[in-house]
Amino acid sequence: MKKNPHTVTFTINGELKTFLTEPDEKLLALLRREGYQGAKYGCGQGTCGSCTVLMDGRAVYSCLLYAMQAEGREIRTIESIGTHDQPSEFQQELIAGGAVQCGYCIPGMIMSATALMENETTFDDETVREYMDGNLCRCTGYEKIWTALRRVLDRQEAAGKKK
Amino acid sequence: MTNPAAHFKQVNHSVTKVDAKQLALGKNSYVGDFVPSDALIVKMLWSPHPHARIKAIDVSKAEKMPGVKAVLWHGNVPRNIHCTAGQGFPEPSPYDTFIFDTKVRFVGDRVAAVAAETAEQAEAALARIHVEYELLPPVFSIDEAMADGAPVIHDEPEAHVPIPIPYEPKKNLVARVGCEAGDFEQGMKDADFTFDDTYETPYAQHCPIEPYTSLAHIDSAGRIIITTSTQVPFHCRRIVAQALGIPVQKIRVIKPRIGGGFGSKQEILLEDIVALFALRTGRPVFWQFTREENFRTGRTRHPIRVRLRTGVKKDGTITAIGMDCWNNTGAYGGHGLTVVSCCGSKVLPLYRCDNIHFLGLVYYTNLPVGGAYRGFGATQAFFAMESTIDKMAEAIGMDPLEFRRKNHIKTGEGSPVFAALGEGKEGTPMTVGSCALGECIEKGAAAIGWQNRTDWRTKTGRYRRGIGMACLMQGSSIPHIDMGGASIKINEDGSFNLLVGATDLGTGSDTVLAQIAAEELATTTDKMIVYSSDTDMTPFDVGAYASSTTYLSGEAARKAAADAKRQILKTGAEMLNLPVDQVVCQDAHVQTPDGSQKVSYGDIACYALYQKNQYQIIGTGSHITEKSPPPFAAHYAEIEVDTWTGLIKVLKYVSTIDCGTAINPALCEGQTEGGTLNGISYALTEQYLFQNGRMTNASFADYHIFSMRDKPPIQAILVPSYEDTGPFGAKSVSEICINGPAPVFANALYNATGARLYEFPFTPERVLKAIQAVKR
Ligand code: FES
Ligand code: FES
């Protein structure tokens, strides 16, 4: 096979890395190949959100982006959020609230929620829906995901107001 | 009577789901997360034609394409007839499928498969496969399938049914089932009002966010290891063995975490192919459906036409119910008979009536293939039944809630239908044990504000509100057919390995079974290490379907725990130097009832494993059921109809459920909320659109499933009862909730506007047309 001259360099979860790629390789495929498997394939068409990652702080569908579009950018995946000993606040609420059923949509949900929490300071329901609308879940009816998220956001809002 | 649930320490508590953290952290969990870097990728050439014979096929160019390691087609695979549906064995479904055939029967049927180093190489090779088709006249509806001289879809001589049930492939007839009780015709004559209505329900797809996914490799001992997203690992092993013509012993099926199934993954659609490729190439082989393939080739909800003839007396007595169902099973017959049976068996018993007629007919067409889908026939038939119930109530001038309350089945009552309709054979006579439907009706009515409901004739203006309701039932497992097994062994620290055949597909059954075992063993759920559904490692279980896991596999887990508990008590008593009848299990100790002498499970395990009279404390249990106790539900919604556009907005949805003891209330609510939203989405937007048999909307962009923005407020209300035959009083919870939204909205639409629809989804066009036809 011919030598692959194509590489892409970006920051992934805080580390600057260079990866071999192909011009037509999608970011999702690259990430999964390189072990960042929390982002999932659900549709490959930008319609389900299970592949959601952050690019420069914005939630993006990694199945739609070419890997090379990440050149020089900052990518964050679910692997950067929470650990077994210290899950993030939203993860804790999801776990405690019984909001994780099959879990396939959950990493994407968490990435969209991360973008929401980092980019906004007030979280009215309409703004929350705007951020979360691109993440489909077929198991939960969204009720418990919504409740878990609202809890975190309400706390953050309250803390923000105190400052 | 005191409520036994009040004393429970593990069950009936919202214990944290055992896999929640790993999933929330995004750790490797699903089939696609375990693909070795040297795995070959599979792509399939699908039939572009609804009905055609393959006259010639040439794969030689494809075989020579870069990266291609193997091509499979009908000329180079075993030809063993089988059924892809994972059901009991022998199946109550026709054997009508080959790995590859010389005929294609729907757009999306298999033609040939390529395994290559990359997906792109496999795709490129598909384009080089040359196929010559002889187009055959297609059959696109039940009416066409039934017509004299209709094209025969299954003309292969091997097609047959493995059990004695009606099957006439020459007439496209997949199955026929019926039952009669009392005198239906007389019942119709005795009525003051009679009804004869025909309802239609559409195709739909389960849309798990994880598509069908399978991985196979050959281990060092030469066995085939299949890691797959399945609801039925043991059926999968048996069916792959059958299709490939190899012994079960050669195959191990592993089910990791599953990204949702809802019935779709009760089917063997990829596993035979990855297994064959692995055998042929010696390489790991991975195949994941695209979303489009998931729609076209994945299983669907059977569209069913239901004709309902009923009679009612002025006093509210139902004198006759006659239900005729025509089930379109698409190109293959799996689940066709059982789904249509459930139209009758899960719906007709809900209301007392002496004179019953039921007939279910199942036909092949050249359309996508029906399969198991949450609700399983009850969804389709409840749309008809609960719509007609409202019509009957209105005819006699009775409040529909009152009419239901008067007629619904109650504790201690039976139905001739239970005994008459089973799964490919007669059913099991049964009287209802637990039933809190009355309370469900009350609580739901209060939550929706039923008392404020007014007649549609009083409503004016562009936006009109309406309230509708429906009552529902389902079952809990299939009596005398389903079997679940479990084993449990103790470790030195007092933890336990709980091994179950039951298949957690995201539902939380691993957690529920752990809670049940922990309750029985008087320990805590966090002491359970659950491992489920690995055909080499765990006991057998038929799998996750028919609302069976909590009720049936739960009882197997309880029995296994009880078996281990006997051993723990014996060893504990030996350590305490007491007779075994003077000690009890409490808080992970064996102790005297007053607690003055005690020994911990950890110490008991160490004693049994290392110190004296050593043996492994291990319990096993398996369970079959005599009964299939129905869970009950009452659903309500308030909607607002825009009479200018026909758009229905759901203001509030109330989903009550009597699932017996809720083993894990949070998870029961989650099941109810999720299934209800799926039902709402199905009732309002989901449908397959076809052009010459080809689905034209095979993407989430064109087949809309509800998002967080679309979601109306859903209130799940668990109404406890106690089912004596279930583990700690539990019945099933998962399926019933999806049956409600279609009839609830039909009734609410009528209450808002006077328009009644006999077909859904309730799209704005359809609703608008119906409103315009209303004469005030
Ligand atoms: S996989 Fe990217 S949006 Fe569905
Ligand atoms: S939890 Fe299964 S898709 Fe969301």
Side-chain angles (χ1 to χ4, degrees), chain A residues 8-19 36 70-75:
Chain A
V8 58
T9 302
F10 54 86
T11 307
I12 171 95
N13 299 336
E15 268 182 277
L16 188 68
K17 286 194 179 177
T18 299
F19 304 101
Y36 304 94
E71 182 69 35
R73 309 288 201 123
E74 196 203 319
I75 302 292

Side-chain angles (χ1 to χ4, degrees), chain A residues 99-106 136-140 145, chain B residues 209:
Chain A
V100 181
Q101 284 193 29
C102 83
Y104 204 78
C105 68
I106 296 292
L136 295 179
C137 173
R138 192 61 152 175
C139 298
T140 63
I145 296 175
Chain B
I209 307 300

